[in-house]
Every structure is written in C-alpha cells, then in structure tokens.
Amino acid sequence: MLRSPRFYVLAIIVFVAFAFLLPQNPIQTIRHAEDGAPPVDSSVASSKGQAPLGSSAHVKNSTLGFERIFVINLPERYDKLDAFSLAASVTGFTHDVIEGIKGSTVVNKTLPALEGLPKKERARNNIVGCWRAHLNFAQKIVRDRISSALVLEDDSDWDVSLKDQLADIATGSRYISGTPKTPRSPYGDDWDLLWLGHCSAQQDPSDTRRFVVENDATVPPPNHRQNFNKVPALNEMGYDNSTRIVFRAHDGVCLYSYALSFRGAQKVLRWQNNISKFYPIDIGIGYQCRDDAHFKCVAVFPQVVDSHKAAGRQSRDSDIGSFDPTKVREKGFTQNIVRSTRLNVENIMYGKAIQDQWPDVPQLTGPRRTRFD
C-alpha cells in the first residue's frame, strides 16, 4: 500500500526528535593534560555510585589505580609467570607481560655508552638485558600513550593487604606531588616515578615533607628489614617501628616494582639514551631521581614490594646470578613483607587464616593513623 507524502514527513520529524532525546556519548567529554600526558576521559567515574576521578578508592580496582600493569618475564620462565599470575589473581589485579631480554641479543652499537660495562660477557649480558627490558617498559608507555603504568619483576611479592597500603600511598603521593583536590590519577598528577619496591631509597634533602602512616601492622619489625644501601632512619626522625612514610626520593636501588607516568616514561627514555657512562638500570634510575631536577620521584619506606625466594632449588631464583644447583631451600620467604601473598596463596584460596612470616611480629591494637608532616 502506498503511503502519502505527509506520512513520510511526519516519520522524519519523529525520528529527529527522538534522536535529540537520546543521552549524549560520555566519551565526548575529554580533558587534555597540560603536561604532555594522553587525553583523559573526565566522565569515566562520573556515573552515579562511582568514586570521583582520582579518588584513592580507585587503587582497589583491577589495575590498582594505574591505567595498566605489566610484569617483566623471560619467555622461557613459565614457572615464574605461573607463580606471579597466581599471586596477582588472589590479590585481584590484572597484568600484561613485558618480555625479558637476553643481553646477548643487544649489540653494543645500540647502547648509549660502553664505559661502565663489565668486561666479562655474562655480567655484561645480564646488566644490558635487564636495562633493555625496563626501557621497553618505558617505551611501551610512550608508544601506546598510557597515562600511567605499574611494572613488577616476575618474582615480586607483596603483602596480602596491598590494596589498603596503596590507598595510603596514593594519599601520600598526592600530598608530596602537590596535586589539586580533583586529580586525574588517584596518585596525583605531578609525579614521574612512584617507587614501591626497592632495596634502598633516600629522601630528597631539599624536600622534607612526609606522609606518615602510623600503627601499621604491615610494617616489618627492624630485625626483618633488609636493604642494600641507605634508607630513611625512621627512629632518628622520631617515628616508631610501626610507621611507614611516603616522601620525595633522591636516590634508590633495586626495581622490584615501580610506576611511571606518561611523562615519566618520556623522561626515562630520554635520560637513559643519553648517558655517558653505563650503569645497571636501577642505579641509573636512582641517579636520575638525584640529578635530574625535572624528574619527580616519590618513594615509600618500608617498601611494599620485594623479591620472593621460593622453596625448592635455589638455582631457580634468578636468571642473572650463579647458584649451587645442589642447594635446596626448605621454606620460601620474602624480606620486608609481613604477610606474604606468595606464602598465603593457599590460605586465601581456601579461606584459611592469613599467616605472618615471623612469630615475633608485634600485635598492634587500635586503628591505623595517618598524618602530613
């Protein structure tokens, strides 16, 4: 049956009116960062019932408040990736893999400097491979325009309360970086590197601000802390043995875990590709925190991520060290972590009681307290 022209005109009017009543696409609301970071969707957390953008509540999501999480893993170490993935799954975060690099595949002409490289081939390859893998992490952030990303080594371990710890660290990072009340990131918008897992970190002498967490049951007693260089002397600063601080970092060693912002990754790529003397990547990044006035590093002490030593053959521990293949470790351990996730995986999976690593951990009473110093 033929329709009259009036019918089609009426249908078009109804369609146009209906289209105007539809809600607008929220992705159209985009703010561009002034510091060179990728665009940020300001409507991501604007729905009813969600925490506002930049809230510390977002550190408890599946990427711990960062845009992405990565783990560095040599392709042949399936065992390490298995163990890491299991620990991450019971903690509740997702991750992608940055492939570890064998230093023998990195030729000297691609290195910014040869001075400082070990003479022995094995030592040279270990240092260069590690350096390149961490630069590939920074390159991934820049290439894919990731606003922030966390990276962990594949033998990393953390406390079962990691997300609660990160909520405090996020508050501290916002304070140290001088972030306004409405940041884009829960960790603030003016940091380059956030050092969560290290074996040494020193406070910038020109910035004495600290975010203090007191009566924290996840702080290891002093006799169970192990570090390889200088760390803040908490007792001399007037803090007791259950205190953790967040501060502007001046130097550091070991990269068990750290995060880079987009601009921080840019700065790492530029700095590391223009060095005049070659250093292991952790020392090089520590020196960048110390010597580059434009590179803003925030650290936490005691650290919240460390390296796990699993039960079994000690030769499985590391791919850059030499171990006696006959030595067997009866029980696994992680320095500096009170309630190791790796050692509590079965307890978490089967609803058993969480166990401290050491019998002499003080049993604290009362709530955790925070303050700005």
Side-chain angles (χ1 to χ4, degrees), residues 45 52 164 258 261 356 370:
D164 292 328
Y258 64 99
S261 63
D356 293 345
T370 62

mmCIF file of all heavy atoms in Angstrom, residues 45 52 164 258 261 356 370:
data_model
loop_
_atom_site.group_PDB
_atom_site.id
_atom_site.type_symbol
_atom_site.label_atom_id
_atom_site.label_comp_id
_atom_site.label_asym_id
_atom_site.label_seq_id
_atom_site.Cartn_x
_atom_site.Cartn_y
_atom_site.Cartn_z
ATOM 1 N N ALA A 45 34.429 8.208 35.748
ATOM 2 C CA ALA A 45 33.899 7.894 37.074
ATOM 3 C C ALA A 45 32.754 8.817 37.470
ATOM 4 O O ALA A 45 32.485 9.010 38.637
ATOM 5 C CB ALA A 45 35.008 7.977 38.105
ATOM 6 N N PRO A 52 34.671 9.526 42.559
ATOM 7 C CA PRO A 52 35.111 10.559 41.609
ATOM 8 C C PRO A 52 36.482 10.242 41.043
ATOM 9 O O PRO A 52 37.283 9.538 41.650
ATOM 10 C CB PRO A 52 35.145 11.831 42.461
ATOM 11 C CG PRO A 52 35.296 11.342 43.868
ATOM 12 C CD PRO A 52 34.549 10.051 43.929
ATOM 13 N N ASP A 164 45.047 -1.905 50.449
ATOM 14 C CA ASP A 164 44.920 -0.937 51.544
ATOM 15 C C ASP A 164 46.189 -0.098 51.674
ATOM 16 O O ASP A 164 46.128 1.110 51.929
ATOM 17 C CB ASP A 164 44.647 -1.663 52.862
ATOM 18 C CG ASP A 164 43.274 -2.318 52.898
ATOM 19 O OD1 ASP A 164 42.342 -1.770 52.280
ATOM 20 O OD2 ASP A 164 43.136 -3.379 53.536
ATOM 21 N N TYR A 258 57.832 -0.503 40.364
ATOM 22 C CA TYR A 258 57.705 0.952 40.303
ATOM 23 C C TYR A 258 56.684 1.308 39.237
ATOM 24 O O TYR A 258 56.323 0.471 38.391
ATOM 25 C CB TYR A 258 59.046 1.627 40.000
ATOM 26 C CG TYR A 258 59.624 1.287 38.639
ATOM 27 C CD1 TYR A 258 59.484 2.156 37.556
ATOM 28 C CD2 TYR A 258 60.314 0.094 38.422
ATOM 29 C CE1 TYR A 258 60.009 1.842 36.306
ATOM 30 C CE2 TYR A 258 60.834 -0.221 37.193
ATOM 31 C CZ TYR A 258 60.688 0.658 36.139
ATOM 32 O OH TYR A 258 61.195 0.337 34.904
ATOM 33 N N SER A 261 54.562 7.561 35.136
ATOM 34 C CA SER A 261 53.533 8.301 34.416
ATOM 35 C C SER A 261 53.963 8.405 32.958
ATOM 36 O O SER A 261 55.096 8.048 32.598
ATOM 37 C CB SER A 261 53.367 9.699 35.016
ATOM 38 O OG SER A 261 54.575 10.446 34.860
ATOM 39 N N ASP A 356 51.393 -14.528 59.382
ATOM 40 C CA ASP A 356 52.584 -13.682 59.322
ATOM 41 C C ASP A 356 53.798 -14.551 58.996
ATOM 42 O O ASP A 356 53.810 -15.753 59.283
ATOM 43 C CB ASP A 356 52.819 -12.984 60.660
ATOM 44 C CG ASP A 356 51.744 -11.965 61.004
ATOM 45 O OD1 ASP A 356 50.972 -11.598 60.104
ATOM 46 O OD2 ASP A 356 51.679 -11.559 62.187
ATOM 47 N N THR A 370 47.050 8.265 60.062
ATOM 48 C CA THR A 370 47.843 8.954 59.041
ATOM 49 C C THR A 370 47.919 10.442 59.365
ATOM 50 O O THR A 370 47.026 11.004 60.006
ATOM 51 C CB THR A 370 47.236 8.783 57.638
ATOM 52 O OG1 THR A 370 45.919 9.361 57.611
ATOM 53 C CG2 THR A 370 47.147 7.313 57.245
#
